[in-house]
Amino acid sequence: MNEQDRDLIIALAQGHLSTDAAGQANARIEADPELASAYAEQILALDHLNSLDAPQMTIDERSGLHANLIEQLGLVPVPETPPAPAKGKATWWAPVVGLATAAAVVAAVVILPGSSDESFDDVSAGANLDTAVTSTAASAVESAPQTATDELGATDAEELTVYATGSVELEELIEEADGAGSPQAVERQLAELNFTSTVDLDTDEVQTCLNELSTDLPDGITEILVLGADVDNESTVVHLGFDFGSGVEDGLSFVLGDCSLVDHAPQG
Amino acid sequence: MTERADRDIELIDQYLQGDIDAFNELVEAHEDRVFAICLRMLRNREAALDAAQDTFLTVFRKADRYKAQAAFSTWLYRVTINTCYDHLRREKRKRADRLPETYDPADPQALDPFEAVEVRPDIEQALQQLSPEFRAAVVLVDLQGMSLEHASDTLEVPTGTIKSRLFRARKQLAQSLGNLRPPSEHQNGDTGES
């Protein structure tokens, strides 16, 4: 059977042929056992497929989906949280959803390539992680409307204001942020830990370390969020959360400046 | 563009300006179809809900990149299918870590030891035995009623490839199902000619 025969069978099975053409096709199929067999298989499969009911969400599933989307996209006002940043630069991510909110503390969103809409993504789906991390700043900017782009691009050394996490371990931050997939959701969930101060991070420095640590990042990350930072006299440790498509599930910590990884093995 | 497609473009613009009603209308207009595609692709209801949610999150987070060169629904359903592919890949990796010794993946009739509970071959089970690419063609065209051209745009493959996948997928389905006739046919004696 050649391609034309296949197309004829498909067109007939789809009901795409005129009455005359369908009559001729039927006559041809009846005269050729191979075509007849192939056509019968197509019809049998279609009959079975047509017997399936259209799946429907329940009311609870529907309302759950809406609620989750609204939360994950930050489409609700962010509740009052600890000290507002003085610089007022920290809301650049908020217009990502077109609804700027008066958030006090931000988490950086870094979108990596390879997500689910390759054709609309300027970054090649085949880009390796190194390329991906190198381009994260641009990706983050791309995901925001023009006003946000302009604001972010306006200064060379933009700052992020994040929670000062003190002695709280990364594991606890991840556990608290579990499932959150947006900066707002992360911020809201981490607020439960009652942090009382914030830290300003230089985005260029964070970006530099992300580039250096690219080989340490697990596969499948769709977003990286800064969960917070711990500052002492000698160093600043930045805590990252990884979203694999369904909210923060993992993460790592590194020392800002030398970009060394911090071991978070369970305390003995 | 259809009326629906034009309306979708308006709604995306309004959403990007912060209109939450536009968001609600877009979700409500497409959620049933997105969910149906996800459920047929993944079979598992919980996974389908997760995939539907991930699809909308991706689309709304990147809504500013939508250029209206294609219908919004084409982009949405493309993201839906790709999200399902991602879920299937993740699930496959998870399973590879926990397969029992008795499981023989070389046996095409082998039941998934973790999900399959029915022995009777049925259309849903047969669908799951198709490759994700074949299944996507069947789900979009045969179950969602999409035209071959729309499916071609959605999956970003030539129309000829869609036809080939459909043809081979249906053949595989028919062979999986043997001589079983669909339930409705037992009742009305319809020959299924269309």
Side-chain angles (χ1 to χ4, degrees):
Chain A
M1 183 169 43
N2 60 32
E3 198 172 304
Q4 285 178 328
D5 292 334
R6 181 203 70 192
D7 288 354
L8 179 72
I9 287 175
I10 287 181
L12 184 61
Q14 298 289 111
H16 287 172
L17 298 180
S18 65
T19 306
D20 286 348
Q24 290 171 8
N26 273 318
R28 176 137 182 262
I29 286 169
E30 284 171 16
D32 183 332
E34 187 190 3
L35 290 187
S37 171
Y39 182 64
E41 285 177 334
Q42 299 287 303
I43 294 302
L44 175 65
L46 282 171
D47 285 348
H48 277 281
L49 290 166
N50 289 336
S51 74
L52 287 172
D53 293 328
Q56 295 254 321
M57 279 188 283
T58 64
I59 293 173
D60 285 349
E61 287 169 343
R62 205 178 295 274
S63 60
L65 173 67
H66 284 224
N68 287 342
L69 288 175
I70 285 173
E71 183 191 349
Q72 298 273 318
L73 292 168
L75 298 182
V76 286
V78 179
E80 287 298 318
T81 47
K87 296 187 175 66
K89 295 177 183 172
T91 55
W92 59 265
W93 50 266
V96 165
V97 292
L99 292 173
T101 54
V105 182
V106 306
V109 181
V110 182
I111 299 172
L112 298 176
S115 54
S116 302
D117 60 339
E118 287 87 345
S119 69
F120 284 77
D121 198 328
D122 293 334
V123 184
S124 161
N128 62 34
L129 197 52
D130 185 49
T131 306
V133 173
T134 304
S135 65
T136 49
S139 297
V141 173
E142 284 168 10
S143 67
Q146 197 60 42
T147 51
T149 306
D150 292 342
E151 186 181 348
L152 184 58
T155 52
D156 292 331
E158 193 63 75
E159 288 186 332
L160 296 170
T161 302
V162 300
Y163 284 125
T165 56
S167 59
V168 176
E169 295 286 344
L170 175 66
E171 287 75 11
E172 192 174 348
L173 294 173
I174 293 171
E175 189 177 340
E176 194 65 41
D178 180 38
S182 70
Q184 296 94 326
V186 166
E187 179 196 340
R188 208 159 40 241
Q189 291 180 213
L190 292 183
E192 297 294 318
L193 294 173
N194 297 318
F195 296 119
T196 56
S197 60
T198 58
V199 179
D200 290 336
L201 300 175
D202 184 317
T203 53
D204 286 347
E205 283 189 293
V206 173
Q207 197 65 61
T208 299
C209 285
L210 277 175
N211 293 343
E212 287 197 20
L213 295 171
S214 61
T215 54
D216 295 298
L217 303 180
D219 293 335
I221 296 175
T222 55
E223 290 182 7
I224 300 176
L225 300 102
V226 179
L227 302 180
D230 177 24
V231 182
D232 63 22
N233 291 334
E234 297 178 350
S235 63
T236 299
V237 174
V238 178
H239 304 297
L240 300 178
F242 301 147
D243 179 351
F244 297 92
S246 51
V248 172
E249 292 176 2
D250 196 1
L252 61 74
S253 302
F254 65 87
V255 178
L256 202 59
D258 67 12
C259 304
S260 58
L261 284 175
V262 176
D263 183 8
H264 279 282
Q267 302 296 309
Chain B
M1 289 266 186
T2 63
E3 196 173 317
R4 175 73 257 167
D6 289 338
R7 179 63 183 150
D8 285 345
I9 291 171
E10 288 174 14
L11 291 170
I12 281 288
D13 283 343
Q14 290 166 13
Y15 165 74
L16 287 171
Q17 291 164 27
D19 184 348
I20 196 167
D21 290 337
F23 161 84
N24 285 327
E25 187 176 335
L26 269 173
V27 172
E28 284 165 11
H30 296 285
E31 62 188 354
D32 283 335
R33 205 167 185 188
V34 167
F35 173 71
I37 292 171
C38 292
L39 187 58
R40 292 302 179 215
M41 286 296 292
L42 304 174
R43 196 176 184 189
N44 178 294
R45 195 169 187 90
E46 192 176 338
L49 286 167
D50 282 347
Q53 180 175 310
D54 290 347
T55 296
F56 281 115
L57 285 175
T58 299
V59 164
F60 282 111
R61 282 174 177 163
K62 300 182 180 180
D64 60 302
R65 297 189 203 178
Y66 172 60
K67 301 291 196 301
Q69 290 161 339
F72 171 76
S73 62
T74 301
W75 180 39
L76 174 65
Y77 300 137
R78 183 181 306 153
V79 174
T80 305
I81 291 291
N82 287 336
T83 302
C84 290
Y85 287 165
D86 288 344
H87 275 250
L88 289 167
R89 275 194 291 268
R90 281 207 297 270
E91 187 59 29
K92 192 177 176 183
R93 279 201 298 270
K94 282 183 192 169
R95 284 178 189 168
D97 292 339
R98 55 176 177 159
L99 277 179
E101 290 177 3
T102 53
Y103 180 63
D104 177 10
D107 175 6
Q109 299 303 315
L111 297 175
D112 181 330
F114 300 101
E115 283 190 1
V117 290
E118 292 182 32
V119 176
R120 185 180 68 87
D122 62 16
I123 184 63
E124 293 196 45
Q125 191 174 307
L127 261 177
Q128 298 310 305
Q129 291 175 359
L130 298 176
S131 72
E133 291 76 16
F134 282 18
R135 201 183 315 156
V138 167
V139 167
L140 293 182
V141 177
D142 291 341
L143 295 179
Q144 292 300 314
M146 213 177 255
S147 70
L148 297 173
E149 292 72 22
H150 193 183
S152 164
D153 289 341
T154 301
L155 297 176
E156 295 185 293
V157 295
T159 308
T161 303
I162 295 290
K163 289 179 182 174
S164 171
R165 288 180 183 176
L166 272 181
F167 187 82
R168 293 163 64 191
R170 290 175 188 160
K171 181 182 176 73
Q172 193 177 323
L173 285 174
Q175 289 173 350
S176 295
L177 293 162
N179 292 321
L180 284 176
R181 305 303 303 179
S184 58
E185 212 166 289
H186 290 301
Q187 294 163 10
N188 59 23
D190 185 359
T191 60
E193 188 81 12
S194 57

